[in-house]
Amino acid sequence: MKRWRHEHVLEAMQKRLDAMLDAMAVRRATGEHVFGTLKAWMGATPFLMKGLANVRTEMSLAILAYNMKRMIHLFGTAKLIEALRA
């Protein structure tokens, strides 16, 4: 029997998941919200571009817009403009 050289990483992760019974609830509350919002912004349509590089660019722009909107909501425009000028 062979053991993968990074097997200890998988075992440690499994231990953490076993200790955190509400892991899926935490995931839904954090990660899934972002993708749901992006999907709603995009109109629940497929990507407009074709090809992996173009789809990656389209997704990156959507994520950038989401992050910018979130930062404006969290900090306000005045603080963000001040940070950009610094």
Side-chain angles (χ1 to χ4, degrees), residues 12-84:
M13 182 62 185
Q14 189 61 51
K15 256 186 175 176
R16 285 194 300 269
L17 285 173
D18 291 343
M20 195 165 87
L21 298 176
D22 61 341
M24 282 305 293
V26 171
R27 179 179 173 199
R28 269 188 230 100
T30 55
E32 298 296 331
H33 179 301
V34 175
F35 291 105
T37 302
L38 288 172
K39 195 172 177 183
W41 283 3
M42 297 172 79
T45 59
F47 289 100
L48 299 174
M49 304 298 292
K50 301 294 181 207
L52 184 57
N54 292 334
V55 169
R56 281 183 177 158
T57 302
E58 185 177 346
M59 190 65 185
S60 294
L61 289 171
I63 291 169
L64 177 64
Y66 176 86
N67 287 335
M68 289 175 68
K69 186 174 180 182
R70 183 164 162 76
M71 298 308 314
I72 290 169
H73 178 74
L74 289 174
F75 296 109
T77 53
K79 283 188 179 181
L80 287 176
I81 291 171
E82 182 182 323
L84 288 171

